[in-house]
Amino acid sequence: MASAAPTIVLVPLCVPGHLPSLFEAGKRLLGTSGGAMSLTVLFMQMTMEANLMSDVADLIRREAGSGLDIRFHHLPAVELPTDSHGTENFIMHFIQLHAPHVKAALSGLASPVAAVVVDYFCTTLFDAIRELALPVYVYVPCSAAILAIILRLPALDEEVAGDLGDMEGAVEVPGMPPVPAALLPTPLLKKGPNYAWTVYHGRRIMEAVGIIVHTVDELEPPVLAAIADGRSPTVYPIGPALSSVKAPREQPHRCVAWLDAQPPASVVLLCFGSMGGSFPAPQVSEIADALERSGHRFLWVLRGPVPAGARSPYPSDANVDELLPEGFLERTKDRGLVWPTWAPQKAIIAHAAVGGFVTHCGWNSVLESMWHGVPLAPWPQHADQHLNAFQLVSVAGVAVAMEVDRKRGNFVEAAELERAVRSLWAASRRRGGRRGRRPPRRRPCSGAPWRRAVRRTWR
Ligand code: UDP
């Protein structure tokens, strides 16, 4: 039966780095609304790797049975664009094609719409939503520093004639120390379609009623303050918006079962996000060498190359016998696990046996790690990750520095990785060793300021 309670509509980008945190943020509005609001999620049918699809399917199944008033709406499939070069460019065209479907879905909902929250990749949907006179919020699943750069980009584009990646020196970003140009997010380094899209989003985000950003107040106060001082829409930090990690104890995942048998805070995790983990052979042997020499226990999520001709950028499962140096698995079998496919990262990071994390610095991985008090060694690869690493090491001072050669495909020498892994334990000892890995005491942001804003516009 149709409910008259207003609904908040989420329009996520259906990828692991964007969807779960927006979904979690949306739930925070419901958690305390006492049935006064429902949540409606509009899904675009992205063609994704089977593992990722099953994660999304799990999320829908879990939430459908959660007792919360959440409705899932699958938008009609669109013809995939065939003439878009680059992943971001393809995604932007793909999203743009959904505008009429989003408008039709919003018009057809049985509940009145209190607000629409779109992923920041989806600003091309603004016009369709505003034709219905609905308030639009933007969701940014990254740091406030990345948001500050995106908002700054339209002006920067006019100030700098050439490619930002060729600039000598640093870029001024509100609230940040000077940011070396070489550390800017990948799409901003060279002017091209992906760069142009980011400039476009930077302009259009300004049209939103508010911006919800997946960061934590205490983590980036100067950046949040600087954005608030500008002319941007009100910013609502919502992080960390991490989905729950309740693993079934009767049948734990093999990675979790392996961790159960390791001493507390003894294992270094190496995991590189949804698109990473696949390395050329020389890099694989440097990592193996570093792990052998460090003497630490390890859980290494190693992936195979992206399948030839695949449209999506996701790695395949690794053939570890083929990829790893001869004898490595045998020599390390008592203290290491090499996992060749998608791993339950949230459950792994939350596990007491994990004492350090070599991460690509995807923003979700950063927040997951910080939330559980696991020291980080950043090994950024692309997108926003180099800037995240800079922020963690040089601004916040919460991560161990590691020398990553961006010009050589982000190569890290074995000796450098070994040093960083050892430093993780030194950092952990300084913070109280095993006692340093306490479960979080702080409550995540409840979303109250954003909830109040939605209520105000709704009334
Ligand atoms: N993740 C996972 N298993 C994997 C790799 C990644 O569960 O094998 C999760 C990870 O916990 C995080 C998300 O996928 O929540 C990746 O987001 P992040 O922002 O860290 O990186 P991205 O994939 O966007 O580069």
Side-chain angles (χ1 to χ4, degrees), residues 16-17 55 271 273-275 301 303 341-346 360 362-366 368 385:
D55 256 31
C271 189
S274 54
M275 289 176 258
V301 183
R303 306 297 303 273
T341 183
W342 186 254
Q345 184 179 291
K346 291 183 194 75
H360 72 311
W363 192 244
N364 292 284
S365 297
V366 167
E368 286 160 21
Q385 298 151 18

Side-chain angles (χ1 to χ4, degrees), residues 27-50:
K27 272 169 59 185
R28 292 202 183 151
L29 284 179
L30 283 194
T32 48
S33 75
M37 296 239 189
S38 68
L39 204 62
T40 303
V41 189
L42 303 187
F43 278 115
M44 294 177 234
Q45 302 185 22
M46 293 198 73
T47 322
M48 296 198 306
E49 193 208 348

